[in-house]
Protein backbone atom coordinates (compact mmCIF):
# COMPACT_ATOMS: atom_id res chain seq x y z
CA UNK A 1 0.00 0.00 0.00
CA UNK A 2 1.33 3.42 -0.91
CA UNK A 3 1.65 6.00 1.80
CA UNK A 4 -0.55 9.04 1.36
CA UNK A 5 2.27 11.38 2.35
CA UNK A 6 5.94 11.01 1.74
CA UNK A 7 8.63 12.66 3.75
CA UNK A 8 8.92 15.48 1.20
CA UNK A 9 5.18 16.14 1.45
CA UNK A 10 5.38 16.40 5.20
CA UNK A 11 8.30 18.78 4.83
CA UNK A 12 6.30 20.92 2.41
CA UNK A 13 3.30 20.99 4.73
CA UNK A 14 5.49 21.81 7.74
CA UNK A 15 7.11 24.58 5.66
CA UNK A 16 3.71 26.03 4.77
CA UNK A 17 2.57 25.89 8.40
CA UNK A 18 5.76 27.64 9.51
CA UNK A 19 5.37 30.25 6.79
CA UNK A 20 1.77 30.93 7.75
CA UNK A 21 2.79 31.22 11.41
CA UNK A 22 5.53 33.68 10.45
CA UNK A 23 3.01 35.70 8.43
CA UNK A 24 0.69 35.80 11.41
CA UNK A 25 3.42 36.65 13.91
CA UNK A 26 3.39 40.45 13.37
CA UNK A 27 -0.33 40.45 14.26
CA UNK A 28 0.46 38.92 17.62
CA UNK A 29 3.13 41.46 18.36
CA UNK A 30 1.00 44.34 17.11
CA UNK A 31 -1.26 43.83 20.09
CA UNK A 32 1.46 44.99 22.42
CA UNK A 33 2.65 47.90 20.33
CA UNK A 34 1.90 51.45 21.40
CA UNK A 35 0.57 53.20 18.33
CA UNK A 36 -0.40 56.86 18.51
CA UNK A 37 -2.91 58.02 15.93
CA UNK A 38 -3.24 61.69 15.04
CA UNK A 39 -6.55 62.89 13.63
CA UNK A 40 -6.72 66.35 12.05
CA UNK A 41 -10.15 67.66 10.99
CA UNK A 42 -11.58 64.16 11.25
CA UNK A 43 -8.94 62.50 9.07
CA UNK A 44 -6.25 60.20 10.38
CA UNK A 45 -3.05 61.93 9.28
CA UNK A 46 -0.41 60.04 11.13
CA UNK A 47 0.39 56.80 12.95
CA UNK A 48 3.45 56.72 15.17
CA UNK A 49 4.91 53.59 16.72
CA UNK A 50 5.83 55.10 20.07
CA UNK A 51 8.06 52.20 21.12
CA UNK A 52 10.14 52.63 18.01
CA UNK A 53 10.92 56.30 18.65
CA UNK A 54 14.64 56.59 19.44
CA UNK A 55 15.11 60.33 19.55
CA UNK A 56 12.51 62.73 20.80
CA UNK A 57 11.11 65.12 18.20
CA UNK A 58 8.29 67.58 17.62
CA UNK A 59 6.00 68.28 14.69
CA UNK A 60 3.20 70.69 13.81
CA UNK A 61 0.03 69.17 12.39
CA UNK A 62 -1.30 72.72 12.08
CA UNK A 63 0.09 76.21 12.49
CA UNK A 64 0.68 77.13 16.15
CA UNK A 65 0.07 73.57 17.34
CA UNK A 66 3.01 71.44 18.35
CA UNK A 67 3.03 67.76 19.27
CA UNK A 68 6.04 66.25 21.01
CA UNK A 69 6.99 62.62 20.67
CA UNK A 70 9.44 60.60 22.73
CA UNK A 71 10.02 56.92 23.31
CA UNK A 72 6.74 55.43 24.57
CA UNK A 73 4.87 58.73 24.93
CA UNK A 74 3.31 61.63 23.05
CA UNK A 75 1.75 64.97 24.02
CA UNK A 76 0.60 68.38 22.91
CA UNK A 77 3.20 71.02 23.80
CA UNK A 78 1.78 74.08 22.06
CA UNK A 79 -1.82 74.98 21.35
CA UNK A 80 -3.93 77.95 20.37
CA UNK A 81 -6.70 77.54 22.91
CA UNK A 82 -6.79 79.67 26.02
CA UNK A 83 -7.35 76.96 28.59
CA UNK A 84 -4.72 74.67 27.02
CA UNK A 85 -6.69 71.62 28.10
CA UNK A 86 -4.88 69.51 25.55
CA UNK A 87 -1.49 70.39 27.01
CA UNK A 88 -2.72 69.80 30.54
CA UNK A 89 -3.60 66.25 29.51
CA UNK A 90 0.14 65.59 29.70
CA UNK A 91 2.06 62.71 28.18
CA UNK A 92 -0.08 59.90 26.81
CA UNK A 93 1.58 56.55 27.28
CA UNK A 94 -1.10 53.86 27.66
CA UNK A 95 -3.60 52.34 25.30
CA UNK A 96 -6.93 54.11 25.04
CA UNK A 97 -5.64 57.49 26.25
CA UNK A 98 -6.81 60.51 24.30
CA UNK A 99 -5.96 64.20 24.24
CA UNK A 100 -7.73 66.69 22.02
CA UNK A 101 -7.28 70.24 20.87
CA UNK A 102 -10.91 71.14 20.23
CA UNK A 103 -10.48 74.55 18.51
CA UNK A 104 -8.02 73.09 15.99
CA UNK A 105 -9.87 69.77 15.75
CA UNK A 106 -6.79 67.70 16.45
CA UNK A 107 -6.98 64.46 18.42
CA UNK A 108 -4.18 62.23 19.60
CA UNK A 109 -5.26 58.80 20.68
CA UNK A 110 -3.32 55.70 21.56
CA UNK A 111 -4.73 52.78 19.67
CA UNK A 112 -6.34 49.88 21.44
CA UNK A 113 -7.57 49.37 24.93
CA UNK A 114 -5.86 48.08 28.00
CA UNK A 115 -8.03 46.88 30.83
CA UNK A 116 -10.95 49.08 29.92
CA UNK A 117 -12.94 49.32 26.71
CA UNK A 118 -13.81 52.98 27.25
CA UNK A 119 -13.51 55.62 29.96
CA UNK A 120 -16.35 57.74 31.31
CA UNK A 121 -15.37 61.22 32.48
CA UNK B 1 9.87 3.12 -24.94
CA UNK B 2 7.31 0.30 -24.80
CA UNK B 3 3.68 0.73 -24.02
CA UNK B 4 4.31 -0.72 -20.50
CA UNK B 5 6.81 2.07 -19.79
CA UNK B 6 4.35 4.71 -20.89
CA UNK B 7 1.75 3.29 -18.53
CA UNK B 8 4.24 3.27 -15.63
CA UNK B 9 5.23 6.88 -16.29
CA UNK B 10 1.58 7.87 -16.45
CA UNK B 11 0.98 6.10 -13.16
CA UNK B 12 3.93 7.92 -11.56
CA UNK B 13 2.77 11.27 -12.89
CA UNK B 14 -0.66 10.58 -11.52
CA UNK B 15 0.81 9.89 -8.07
CA UNK B 16 2.97 13.00 -8.18
CA UNK B 17 -0.01 15.03 -9.31
CA UNK B 18 -2.08 13.65 -6.48
CA UNK B 19 0.55 14.51 -3.90
CA UNK B 20 1.21 17.90 -5.40
CA UNK B 21 -2.51 18.52 -5.49
CA UNK B 22 -2.85 17.72 -1.80
CA UNK B 23 0.13 19.95 -0.95
CA UNK B 24 -1.25 22.81 -3.04
CA UNK B 25 -4.71 22.35 -1.53
CA UNK B 26 -3.25 22.52 1.98
CA UNK B 27 -1.32 25.68 1.04
CA UNK B 28 -4.35 27.33 -0.50
CA UNK B 29 -6.54 26.38 2.46
CA UNK B 30 -4.05 27.84 4.90
CA UNK B 31 -3.54 31.05 2.97
CA UNK B 32 -7.27 31.53 2.46
CA UNK B 33 -7.73 30.76 6.15
CA UNK B 34 -5.21 33.41 7.15
CA UNK B 35 -6.76 36.03 4.86
CA UNK B 36 -10.30 35.24 5.99
CA UNK B 37 -9.27 35.21 9.65
CA UNK B 38 -7.55 38.57 9.25
CA UNK B 39 -10.43 40.20 7.40
CA UNK B 40 -13.02 38.79 9.80
CA UNK B 41 -10.95 40.09 12.70
CA UNK B 42 -10.80 43.50 11.06
CA UNK B 43 -14.48 43.56 10.25
CA UNK B 44 -15.30 42.55 13.80
CA UNK B 45 -14.00 45.75 15.34
CA UNK B 46 -13.70 49.24 13.95
CA UNK B 47 -12.27 51.96 16.11
CA UNK B 48 -12.06 55.66 15.35
CA UNK B 49 -12.06 59.12 16.90
CA UNK B 50 -13.69 62.35 15.80
CA UNK B 51 -14.56 65.80 17.07
CA UNK B 52 -18.24 66.72 17.09
CA UNK B 53 -20.55 68.73 19.37
CA UNK B 54 -17.43 70.56 20.54
CA UNK B 55 -16.08 67.42 22.16
CA UNK B 56 -14.19 64.21 21.45
CA UNK B 57 -16.13 61.23 20.13
CA UNK B 58 -14.56 57.79 20.55
CA UNK B 59 -16.17 54.91 18.70
CA UNK B 60 -15.65 51.16 18.88
CA UNK B 61 -18.03 49.20 16.71
CA UNK B 62 -18.28 45.42 16.52
CA UNK B 63 -19.86 43.72 13.53
CA UNK B 64 -19.75 44.14 9.78
CA UNK B 65 -19.41 47.50 7.98
CA UNK B 66 -17.79 49.18 10.98
CA UNK B 67 -16.32 52.06 9.00
CA UNK B 68 -19.58 52.93 7.24
CA UNK B 69 -21.57 52.68 10.45
CA UNK B 70 -19.05 54.81 12.35
CA UNK B 71 -19.44 57.50 9.68
CA UNK B 72 -23.21 57.37 10.11
CA UNK B 73 -22.81 57.77 13.87
CA UNK B 74 -20.57 60.84 13.53
CA UNK B 75 -22.94 62.35 10.98
CA UNK B 76 -25.84 61.68 13.36
CA UNK B 77 -24.07 63.43 16.27
CA UNK B 78 -23.28 66.44 14.08
CA UNK B 79 -26.93 66.56 13.07
CA UNK B 80 -28.04 66.42 16.74
CA UNK B 81 -25.89 69.48 17.32
CA UNK B 82 -26.85 71.38 14.18
CA UNK B 83 -30.57 70.71 13.99
CA UNK B 84 -31.51 70.29 17.64
CA UNK B 85 -29.23 71.41 20.43
CA UNK B 86 -26.72 74.07 19.35
CA UNK B 87 -26.92 77.45 21.04
CA UNK B 88 -25.03 79.11 18.18
CA UNK B 89 -26.32 77.38 15.06
CA UNK B 90 -29.02 79.71 13.68
CA UNK B 91 -31.43 76.99 12.54
CA UNK B 92 -31.23 74.70 15.54
CA UNK B 93 -34.34 74.19 17.66
CA UNK B 94 -32.63 75.49 20.81
CA UNK B 95 -31.32 78.59 19.02
CA UNK B 96 -34.82 79.41 17.76
CA UNK B 97 -36.39 78.84 21.18
CA UNK B 98 -33.80 81.10 22.82
CA UNK B 99 -34.20 83.76 20.12
CA UNK B 100 -37.97 83.90 20.62
CA UNK B 101 -38.78 84.00 24.34
CA UNK B 102 -42.48 84.34 25.07
CA UNK B 103 -43.37 82.58 21.80
CA UNK B 104 -44.36 78.95 21.28
CA UNK B 105 -41.66 77.86 18.82
CA UNK B 106 -42.26 74.83 16.56
CA UNK B 107 -39.60 72.23 17.17
CA UNK B 108 -38.95 68.59 16.33
CA UNK B 109 -40.66 66.00 18.50
CA UNK B 110 -37.20 64.92 19.67
CA UNK B 111 -36.31 68.38 21.00
CA UNK B 112 -39.69 68.66 22.72
CA UNK B 113 -39.06 65.28 24.34
CA UNK B 114 -35.54 66.24 25.47
CA UNK B 115 -36.84 69.44 27.06
CA UNK B 116 -39.82 67.79 28.69
CA UNK B 117 -37.60 65.07 30.25
CA UNK B 118 -35.11 67.71 31.43
CA UNK B 119 -37.92 69.66 33.08
CA UNK B 120 -39.07 66.46 34.75
CA UNK B 121 -35.61 65.90 36.29
CA UNK B 122 -35.48 69.57 37.36
CA UNK B 123 -38.81 69.11 39.15
CA UNK B 124 -37.65 65.95 40.91
CA UNK B 125 -34.36 67.43 42.14
CA UNK B 126 -35.81 70.65 43.50
CA UNK B 127 -34.37 72.76 40.69
CA UNK B 128 -30.66 72.39 41.49
CA UNK B 129 -30.40 71.17 37.91
CA UNK B 130 -32.35 73.47 35.59
CA UNK B 131 -31.95 73.95 31.84
CA UNK B 132 -33.09 77.61 32.09
CA UNK B 133 -29.75 78.40 33.75
CA UNK B 134 -28.37 79.63 30.39
CA UNK B 135 -27.96 83.31 31.32
CA UNK B 136 -25.97 82.37 34.43
CA UNK B 137 -23.65 79.96 32.59
CA UNK B 138 -23.03 82.74 30.07
CA UNK B 139 -21.74 84.94 32.91
CA UNK B 140 -19.20 82.33 34.02
CA UNK B 141 -18.35 81.15 30.47
CA UNK B 142 -16.39 78.12 31.72
CA UNK B 143 -13.78 77.09 29.19
CA UNK B 144 -14.66 80.04 26.95
CA UNK B 145 -12.90 83.28 26.08
CA UNK B 146 -14.84 85.31 28.64
CA UNK B 147 -14.37 82.93 31.59
CA UNK B 148 -14.44 84.94 34.84
CA UNK B 149 -15.86 85.18 38.33
CA UNK B 150 -19.09 87.21 37.97
CA UNK B 151 -20.13 89.72 40.64
CA UNK B 152 -22.78 88.74 43.16
CA UNK B 153 -25.11 91.38 41.73
CA UNK B 154 -24.83 89.95 38.21
CA UNK B 155 -25.61 86.45 39.46
CA UNK B 156 -28.61 87.55 41.57
CA UNK B 157 -29.98 89.48 38.60
CA UNK B 158 -29.76 86.57 36.15
CA UNK B 159 -30.84 84.01 38.72
CA UNK B 160 -34.30 85.58 38.98
CA UNK B 161 -35.13 84.24 35.50
CA UNK B 162 -33.88 80.71 36.17
CA UNK B 163 -37.16 78.83 36.56
CA UNK B 164 -37.91 75.52 34.81
CA UNK B 165 -41.60 75.90 35.68
CA UNK B 166 -41.85 78.77 33.19
CA UNK B 167 -41.11 76.44 30.26
CA UNK B 168 -44.22 75.39 28.34
CA UNK B 169 -43.79 72.23 26.27
CA UNK B 170 -46.21 70.47 23.92
CA UNK B 171 -45.40 67.58 21.57
CA UNK B 172 -44.22 69.99 18.91
CA UNK B 173 -43.68 73.40 20.52
CA UNK B 174 -41.58 74.92 23.28
CA UNK B 175 -41.98 78.31 24.89
CA UNK B 176 -39.62 79.93 27.38
CA UNK B 177 -40.27 83.12 29.35
CA UNK B 178 -38.73 86.53 28.60
CA UNK B 179 -35.24 86.76 30.03
CA UNK B 180 -34.67 83.01 29.91
CA UNK B 181 -32.04 81.11 27.94
CA UNK B 182 -31.91 77.34 27.64
CA UNK B 183 -28.60 75.61 28.24
CA UNK B 184 -28.65 71.92 27.34
CA UNK B 185 -24.98 71.43 28.15
CA UNK B 186 -25.80 68.99 30.94
CA UNK B 187 -28.02 66.76 28.77
CA UNK B 188 -26.78 67.23 25.20
CA UNK B 189 -24.16 64.49 25.15
CA UNK B 190 -26.56 62.00 26.70
CA UNK B 191 -29.32 62.98 24.29
CA UNK B 192 -26.85 62.44 21.44
CA UNK B 193 -26.16 58.93 22.82
CA UNK B 194 -29.91 58.19 22.75
CA UNK B 195 -30.12 59.19 19.10
CA UNK B 196 -27.06 57.09 18.24
CA UNK B 197 -28.68 54.05 19.85
CA UNK B 198 -31.76 54.51 17.65
CA UNK B 199 -29.50 54.83 14.62
CA UNK B 200 -27.40 51.74 15.42
CA UNK B 201 -30.45 49.56 15.90
CA UNK B 202 -31.29 50.24 12.24
CA UNK B 203 -27.82 49.03 11.13
CA UNK B 204 -26.11 45.64 11.17
CA UNK B 205 -23.88 46.58 14.13
CA UNK B 206 -23.66 43.74 16.69
CA UNK B 207 -22.43 45.84 19.58
CA UNK B 208 -20.65 49.11 20.19
CA UNK B 209 -19.32 51.43 22.83
CA UNK B 210 -19.44 55.10 21.97
CA UNK B 211 -18.17 58.00 24.03
CA UNK B 212 -19.59 61.45 23.37
CA UNK B 213 -17.23 63.54 25.47
CA UNK B 214 -17.19 60.96 28.26
CA UNK B 215 -20.93 60.16 28.20
CA UNK B 216 -21.25 56.60 26.97
CA UNK B 217 -23.62 54.46 24.99
CA UNK B 218 -23.10 50.71 25.47
CA UNK B 219 -24.94 49.09 22.60
CA UNK B 220 -25.74 45.38 22.16
CA UNK B 221 -25.25 42.32 24.32
CA UNK B 222 -21.46 42.52 24.61
CA UNK B 223 -20.09 43.15 28.11
CA UNK B 224 -17.80 46.17 28.25
CA UNK B 225 -15.28 47.13 30.89
CA UNK B 226 -15.91 50.79 31.57
CA UNK B 227 -13.24 52.77 33.39
CA UNK B 228 -14.30 55.60 35.69
CA UNK B 229 -11.80 58.41 35.37
CA UNK B 230 -9.65 59.17 38.38
CA UNK B 231 -10.74 62.69 39.38
CA UNK B 232 -7.14 63.47 40.31
CA UNK B 233 -5.56 62.19 37.10
CA UNK B 234 -7.65 62.29 33.96
CA UNK B 235 -5.40 59.84 32.11
CA UNK B 236 -6.09 57.00 34.53
CA UNK B 237 -9.16 55.26 35.87
CA UNK B 238 -9.90 54.54 39.53
CA UNK B 239 -12.32 51.68 39.00
CA UNK B 240 -14.14 49.68 36.36
CA UNK B 241 -17.72 48.67 35.73
CA UNK B 242 -18.67 45.62 33.71
CA UNK B 243 -21.84 46.58 31.87
CA UNK B 244 -23.82 45.99 28.70
CA UNK B 245 -26.70 47.62 26.86
CA UNK B 246 -26.99 50.81 28.91
CA UNK B 247 -25.88 54.44 29.22
CA UNK B 248 -23.18 55.84 31.48
CA UNK B 249 -22.51 59.46 32.33
CA UNK B 250 -20.12 61.14 34.74
CA UNK B 251 -20.06 64.61 36.26
CA UNK B 252 -16.98 65.85 38.08
CA UNK B 253 -15.37 69.00 39.39
CA UNK B 254 -12.18 68.35 37.36
CA UNK B 255 -13.66 68.89 33.91
CA UNK B 256 -13.74 72.66 33.53
CA UNK B 257 -12.59 75.00 36.27
CA UNK B 258 -10.47 78.02 37.03
CA UNK B 259 -8.75 79.40 40.07
CA UNK B 260 -9.02 82.92 41.39
CA UNK B 261 -7.65 84.34 44.64
CA UNK B 262 -6.79 80.87 45.84
CA UNK B 263 -10.30 79.53 45.27
CA UNK B 264 -11.28 76.94 42.65
CA UNK B 265 -14.46 77.43 40.66
CA UNK B 266 -15.69 74.36 38.77
CA UNK B 267 -18.33 74.29 36.04
CA UNK B 268 -21.21 72.43 37.71
CA UNK B 269 -23.50 75.26 38.73
CA UNK B 270 -26.21 74.85 41.35
CA UNK B 271 -29.11 76.47 39.52
CA UNK B 272 -30.65 77.58 42.82
CA UNK B 273 -27.58 79.66 43.81
CA UNK B 274 -25.87 80.43 40.50
CA UNK B 275 -22.54 79.31 41.99
CA UNK B 276 -20.52 76.10 41.56
CA UNK B 277 -22.09 73.32 43.62
CA UNK B 278 -20.50 73.00 47.02
CA UNK B 279 -20.30 69.23 47.00
CA UNK B 280 -18.38 66.63 48.97
CA UNK B 281 -18.11 64.66 45.75
CA UNK B 282 -15.33 64.87 43.23
CA UNK B 283 -17.36 62.87 40.73
CA UNK B 284 -20.44 60.78 40.23
CA UNK B 285 -21.11 58.22 37.51
CA UNK B 286 -24.74 57.39 36.73
CA UNK B 287 -25.92 54.31 34.85
CA UNK B 288 -29.43 54.06 33.44
CA UNK B 289 -31.37 53.05 30.36
CA UNK B 290 -31.55 56.57 28.90
CA UNK B 291 -28.60 58.67 27.80
CA UNK B 292 -30.37 61.92 28.51
CA UNK B 293 -31.39 60.82 32.01
CA UNK B 294 -27.95 59.43 32.92
CA UNK B 295 -26.48 62.78 31.86
CA UNK B 296 -29.06 64.94 33.66
CA UNK B 297 -28.98 62.75 36.78
CA UNK B 298 -25.18 62.83 37.03
CA UNK B 299 -25.32 66.64 37.15
CA UNK B 300 -28.29 66.76 39.54
CA UNK B 301 -26.80 64.13 41.88
CA UNK B 302 -23.40 65.81 41.90
CA UNK B 303 -25.09 68.95 43.22
CA UNK B 304 -27.42 67.12 45.63
CA UNK B 305 -24.71 64.98 47.21
CA UNK B 306 -24.97 61.36 48.28
CA UNK B 307 -27.89 61.27 50.72
CA UNK B 308 -30.37 63.21 48.61
CA UNK B 309 -29.30 61.49 45.40
CA UNK B 310 -30.42 58.02 46.42
CA UNK B 311 -34.11 58.91 46.26
CA UNK B 312 -33.72 60.64 42.90
CA UNK B 313 -31.81 57.67 41.47
CA UNK B 314 -34.53 55.29 42.68
CA UNK B 315 -37.15 57.44 41.00
CA UNK B 316 -35.50 56.77 37.63
CA UNK B 317 -34.31 53.23 38.36
CA UNK B 318 -30.72 54.42 37.97
CA UNK B 319 -27.49 53.23 39.60
CA UNK B 320 -24.43 55.24 40.54
CA UNK B 321 -20.82 55.28 41.69
CA UNK B 322 -20.04 58.21 44.02
CA UNK B 323 -16.42 59.29 44.38
CA UNK B 324 -15.92 61.58 47.37
CA UNK B 325 -13.21 64.21 47.73
CA UNK B 326 -11.76 62.22 50.64
CA UNK B 327 -11.29 59.31 48.19
CA UNK B 328 -14.10 57.16 49.60
CA UNK B 329 -16.25 55.44 47.01
CA UNK B 330 -19.89 54.45 47.35
CA UNK B 331 -21.61 52.13 44.88
CA UNK B 332 -25.39 51.63 44.75
CA UNK B 333 -26.67 48.10 45.36
CA UNK B 334 -27.74 47.36 41.78
CA UNK B 335 -24.19 47.54 40.41
CA UNK B 336 -22.14 46.46 43.44
CA UNK B 337 -21.10 43.24 41.71
CA UNK B 338 -20.08 44.88 38.47
CA UNK B 339 -17.77 47.44 40.10
CA UNK B 340 -14.07 46.75 40.66
CA UNK B 341 -11.74 49.20 42.35
CA UNK B 342 -8.47 49.43 40.41
CA UNK B 343 -6.74 52.29 42.21
CA UNK B 344 -5.93 51.24 45.76
CA UNK B 345 -5.58 54.84 46.95
CA UNK B 346 -9.41 54.93 46.95
CA UNK B 347 -11.50 53.06 49.51
CA UNK B 348 -14.92 51.53 48.91
CA UNK B 349 -17.26 52.30 51.82
CA UNK B 350 -19.15 49.31 53.16
Amino acid sequence: MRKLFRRTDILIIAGVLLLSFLLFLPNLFNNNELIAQIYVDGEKTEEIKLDAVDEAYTFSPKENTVISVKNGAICFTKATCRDELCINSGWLSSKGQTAACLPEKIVITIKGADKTDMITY
Amino acid sequence: MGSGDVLKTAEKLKNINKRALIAVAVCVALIVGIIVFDSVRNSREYQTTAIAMGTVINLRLFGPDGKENAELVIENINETEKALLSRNEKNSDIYRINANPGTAVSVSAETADIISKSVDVAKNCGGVFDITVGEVTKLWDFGGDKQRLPTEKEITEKLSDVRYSAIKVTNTTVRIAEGQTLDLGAVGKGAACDRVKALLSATNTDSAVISVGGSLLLYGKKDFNIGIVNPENDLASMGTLKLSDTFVSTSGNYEKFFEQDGKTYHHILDATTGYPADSRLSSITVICDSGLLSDALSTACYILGYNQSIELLNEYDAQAVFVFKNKTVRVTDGIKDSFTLTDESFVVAK
Side-chain angles (χ1 to χ4, degrees), chain A residues 99-112:
Chain A
C101 175
L102 294 177
E104 298 291 343
K105 297 205 167 185
I106 303 171
V107 183
I108 309 174
T109 181
I110 301 190
K111 205 175 155 183

PDB file of all heavy atoms in Angstrom, chain A residues 99-112:
ATOM      1  N   ALA A  99      -6.025  62.765  23.942  1.00  0.00           N
ATOM      2  CA  ALA A  99      -5.962  64.202  24.239  1.00  0.00           C
ATOM      3  C   ALA A  99      -6.450  64.913  22.991  1.00  0.00           C
ATOM      4  O   ALA A  99      -6.208  64.463  21.873  1.00  0.00           O
ATOM      5  CB  ALA A  99      -4.545  64.627  24.576  1.00  0.00           C
ATOM      6  N   ALA A 100      -7.170  66.013  23.182  1.00  0.00           N
ATOM      7  CA  ALA A 100      -7.730  66.685  22.016  1.00  0.00           C
ATOM      8  C   ALA A 100      -7.550  68.179  22.109  1.00  0.00           C
ATOM      9  O   ALA A 100      -7.644  68.764  23.181  1.00  0.00           O
ATOM     10  CB  ALA A 100      -9.210  66.358  21.899  1.00  0.00           C
ATOM     11  N   CYS A 101      -7.256  68.802  20.975  1.00  0.00           N
ATOM     12  CA  CYS A 101      -7.277  70.243  20.867  1.00  0.00           C
ATOM     13  C   CYS A 101      -8.566  70.562  20.114  1.00  0.00           C
ATOM     14  O   CYS A 101      -8.640  70.373  18.891  1.00  0.00           O
ATOM     15  CB  CYS A 101      -6.056  70.730  20.103  1.00  0.00           C
ATOM     16  SG  CYS A 101      -6.120  72.497  19.819  1.00  0.00           S
ATOM     17  N   LEU A 102      -9.594  70.966  20.845  1.00  0.00           N
ATOM     18  CA  LEU A 102     -10.913  71.140  20.226  1.00  0.00           C
ATOM     19  C   LEU A 102     -10.952  72.276  19.197  1.00  0.00           C
ATOM     20  O   LEU A 102     -11.495  72.089  18.109  1.00  0.00           O
ATOM     21  CB  LEU A 102     -11.991  71.325  21.296  1.00  0.00           C
ATOM     22  CG  LEU A 102     -12.225  70.095  22.181  1.00  0.00           C
ATOM     23  CD1 LEU A 102     -13.251  70.390  23.246  1.00  0.00           C
ATOM     24  CD2 LEU A 102     -12.669  68.896  21.356  1.00  0.00           C
ATOM     25  N   PRO A 103     -10.382  73.463  19.497  1.00  0.00           N
ATOM     26  CA  PRO A 103     -10.478  74.550  18.510  1.00  0.00           C
ATOM     27  C   PRO A 103      -9.823  74.187  17.166  1.00  0.00           C
ATOM     28  O   PRO A 103     -10.314  74.552  16.112  1.00  0.00           O
ATOM     29  CB  PRO A 103      -9.726  75.713  19.165  1.00  0.00           C
ATOM     30  CG  PRO A 103      -9.587  75.380  20.593  1.00  0.00           C
ATOM     31  CD  PRO A 103      -9.677  73.907  20.711  1.00  0.00           C
ATOM     32  N   GLU A 104      -8.731  73.447  17.229  1.00  0.00           N
ATOM     33  CA  GLU A 104      -8.024  73.094  15.988  1.00  0.00           C
ATOM     34  C   GLU A 104      -8.474  71.743  15.434  1.00  0.00           C
ATOM     35  O   GLU A 104      -8.005  71.304  14.386  1.00  0.00           O
ATOM     36  CB  GLU A 104      -6.509  73.054  16.227  1.00  0.00           C
ATOM     37  CG  GLU A 104      -5.897  74.383  16.650  1.00  0.00           C
ATOM     38  CD  GLU A 104      -5.918  75.426  15.533  1.00  0.00           C
ATOM     39  OE1 GLU A 104      -6.100  75.048  14.362  1.00  0.00           O
ATOM     40  OE2 GLU A 104      -5.762  76.619  15.854  1.00  0.00           O
ATOM     41  N   LYS A 105      -9.371  71.090  16.149  1.00  0.00           N
ATOM     42  CA  LYS A 105      -9.867  69.774  15.747  1.00  0.00           C
ATOM     43  C   LYS A 105      -8.739  68.763  15.518  1.00  0.00           C
ATOM     44  O   LYS A 105      -8.634  68.127  14.474  1.00  0.00           O
ATOM     45  CB  LYS A 105     -10.750  69.882  14.496  1.00  0.00           C
ATOM     46  CG  LYS A 105     -11.989  70.716  14.744  1.00  0.00           C
ATOM     47  CD  LYS A 105     -13.099  70.341  13.791  1.00  0.00           C
ATOM     48  CE  LYS A 105     -14.394  70.960  14.266  1.00  0.00           C
ATOM     49  NZ  LYS A 105     -15.540  70.592  13.521  1.00  0.00           N
ATOM     50  N   ILE A 106      -7.867  68.679  16.513  1.00  0.00           N
ATOM     51  CA  ILE A 106      -6.785  67.700  16.453  1.00  0.00           C
ATOM     52  C   ILE A 106      -6.935  66.746  17.640  1.00  0.00           C
ATOM     53  O   ILE A 106      -7.117  67.186  18.771  1.00  0.00           O
ATOM     54  CB  ILE A 106      -5.400  68.379  16.531  1.00  0.00           C
ATOM     55  CG1 ILE A 106      -5.268  69.410  15.407  1.00  0.00           C
ATOM     56  CG2 ILE A 106      -4.283  67.343  16.443  1.00  0.00           C
ATOM     57  CD1 ILE A 106      -4.044  70.279  15.529  1.00  0.00           C
ATOM     58  N   VAL A 107      -6.874  65.455  17.343  1.00  0.00           N
ATOM     59  CA  VAL A 107      -6.985  64.461  18.415  1.00  0.00           C
ATOM     60  C   VAL A 107      -5.785  63.531  18.356  1.00  0.00           C
ATOM     61  O   VAL A 107      -5.398  63.082  17.282  1.00  0.00           O
ATOM     62  CB  VAL A 107      -8.279  63.612  18.278  1.00  0.00           C
ATOM     63  CG1 VAL A 107      -8.393  62.636  19.442  1.00  0.00           C
ATOM     64  CG2 VAL A 107      -9.505  64.489  18.216  1.00  0.00           C
ATOM     65  N   ILE A 108      -5.195  63.289  19.515  1.00  0.00           N
ATOM     66  CA  ILE A 108      -4.175  62.233  19.601  1.00  0.00           C
ATOM     67  C   ILE A 108      -4.818  61.121  20.417  1.00  0.00           C
ATOM     68  O   ILE A 108      -5.381  61.373  21.472  1.00  0.00           O
ATOM     69  CB  ILE A 108      -2.918  62.678  20.381  1.00  0.00           C
ATOM     70  CG1 ILE A 108      -2.363  63.997  19.863  1.00  0.00           C
ATOM     71  CG2 ILE A 108      -1.852  61.597  20.334  1.00  0.00           C
ATOM     72  CD1 ILE A 108      -1.207  64.539  20.715  1.00  0.00           C
ATOM     73  N   THR A 109      -4.725  59.908  19.900  1.00  0.00           N
ATOM     74  CA  THR A 109      -5.265  58.795  20.682  1.00  0.00           C
ATOM     75  C   THR A 109      -4.327  57.615  20.563  1.00  0.00           C
ATOM     76  O   THR A 109      -3.713  57.409  19.524  1.00  0.00           O
ATOM     77  CB  THR A 109      -6.706  58.461  20.256  1.00  0.00           C
ATOM     78  OG1 THR A 109      -7.186  57.404  21.051  1.00  0.00           O
ATOM     79  CG2 THR A 109      -6.804  58.054  18.810  1.00  0.00           C
ATOM     80  N   ILE A 110      -4.168  56.887  21.635  1.00  0.00           N
ATOM     81  CA  ILE A 110      -3.324  55.699  21.563  1.00  0.00           C
ATOM     82  C   ILE A 110      -4.216  54.493  21.310  1.00  0.00           C
ATOM     83  O   ILE A 110      -5.174  54.249  22.037  1.00  0.00           O
ATOM     84  CB  ILE A 110      -2.438  55.546  22.816  1.00  0.00           C
ATOM     85  CG1 ILE A 110      -1.565  56.801  22.914  1.00  0.00           C
ATOM     86  CG2 ILE A 110      -1.600  54.282  22.716  1.00  0.00           C
ATOM     87  CD1 ILE A 110      -0.466  56.758  23.920  1.00  0.00           C
ATOM     88  N   LYS A 111      -3.886  53.845  20.196  1.00  0.00           N
ATOM     89  CA  LYS A 111      -4.731  52.776  19.673  1.00  0.00           C
ATOM     90  C   LYS A 111      -4.906  51.633  20.666  1.00  0.00           C
ATOM     91  O   LYS A 111      -3.978  51.300  21.385  1.00  0.00           O
ATOM     92  CB  LYS A 111      -4.057  52.233  18.411  1.00  0.00           C
ATOM     93  CG  LYS A 111      -4.958  51.576  17.423  1.00  0.00           C
ATOM     94  CD  LYS A 111      -4.138  51.229  16.201  1.00  0.00           C
ATOM     95  CE  LYS A 111      -4.736  50.091  15.450  1.00  0.00           C
ATOM     96  NZ  LYS A 111      -3.902  49.713  14.311  1.00  0.00           N
ATOM     97  N   GLY A 112      -6.084  51.064  20.641  1.00  0.00           N
ATOM     98  CA  GLY A 112      -6.342  49.880  21.441  1.00  0.00           C
ATOM     99  C   GLY A 112      -6.877  50.202  22.809  1.00  0.00           C
ATOM    100  O   GLY A 112      -7.147  51.343  23.136  1.00  0.00           O
TER     101      GLY A 112
END
